[in-house]
Amino acid sequence: GENVGLHLPTLSVQEGDNSIINCAYSNSASDYFIWYKQESGKGPQFIIDIRSNMDKRQGQRVTVLLNKTVKHLSLQIAATQPGDSAVYFCAENINNAGNMLTFGGGTRLMVKP
Amino acid sequence: DSGVTQTPKHLITATGQRVTLRCSPRSGDLSVYWYQQSLDQGLQFLIHYYNGEERAKGNILERFSAQQFPDLHSELNLSSLELGDSALYFCASSVRPGVTDTQYFGPGTRLTVL
């Protein structure tokens, strides 16, 4: 896959358990945050986003939490399934820097059946 | 399937050569973005076009250039290729160029420079 050879933190969970993937961002001026999922051989797939004026947003089985005080973002996946196995990236966007996403290094999620 | 298409899927070429990667955005999207994903640098923003005009540049090498055509498809041109240019190149598109306009990614082009 794309990330072979790239040292990625790995989270291994049992099927059915909840997963929490964390991300630290660096720019306090970031306005918008997105989580992407990347499966082997595919492009990043949008999961969920959150604006800087919010601290929590929920989707289907996923929740994103934003803590601007410590510049921390997390993605919670409920009842993790084998199909959730992928690399997850957080990305941030800064309003005055053009619409360019700055990606974190990624976390590999492995779901054990 | 995001609706963003990229061709070719794989490209193998030699150092010093020039290649062109093509991207068609989702129907209705006016913004196109290019990103590079390499093993040591992760996902890096290269350039953004909106409705034919360049809007933002990231760490794009001078050997690389891009354009967006009137039909909104975009091409990324890579010249004088080096071994280190081997990477996955992704195109993304969004409806508008705003910060909160979600970017949807294509499947990528894997470039191998030998």
Side-chain angles (χ1 to χ4, degrees), chain B residues 17-101:
Chain B
Q17 295 298 303
R18 173 189 169 94
V19 297
T20 298
L21 313 184
R22 184 187 168 103
C23 167
S24 292
R26 296 184 320 155
S27 177
D29 285 1
L30 300 179
S31 269
V32 170
Y33 313 81
W34 287 96
Y35 291 84
Q36 180 193 58
Q37 186 175 38
S38 61
L39 291 180
D40 56 347
Q41 295 288 328
L43 268 160
Q44 302 263 311
F45 168 78
L46 295 177
I47 198 162
H48 169 204
Y49 277 83
Y50 172 68
N51 206 20
E53 301 286 327
E54 181 186 303
R55 288 291 292 249
K57 259 185 177 180
N59 294 325
I60 187 168
L61 299 171
E62 286 190 13
R63 301 184 285 109
F64 295 3
S65 65
Q67 53 185 327
Q68 185 180 26
F69 295 86
D71 67 352
L72 301 176
H73 91 272
S74 177
E75 293 181 356
L76 179 67
N77 301 296
L78 315 176
S79 62
S80 302
L81 284 167
E82 302 175 359
L83 296 177
D85 298 327
S86 295
L88 274 162
Y89 291 85
F90 289 104
C91 167
S93 73
S94 67
V95 176
R96 291 173 298 271
V99 167
T100 58
D101 287 298

Side-chain angles (χ1 to χ4, degrees), chain A residues 19-20 26 39 52 104 108:
Chain A
S19 303
I20 300 177
S26 56
E39 297 173 278
S52 60
R108 188 183 304 280

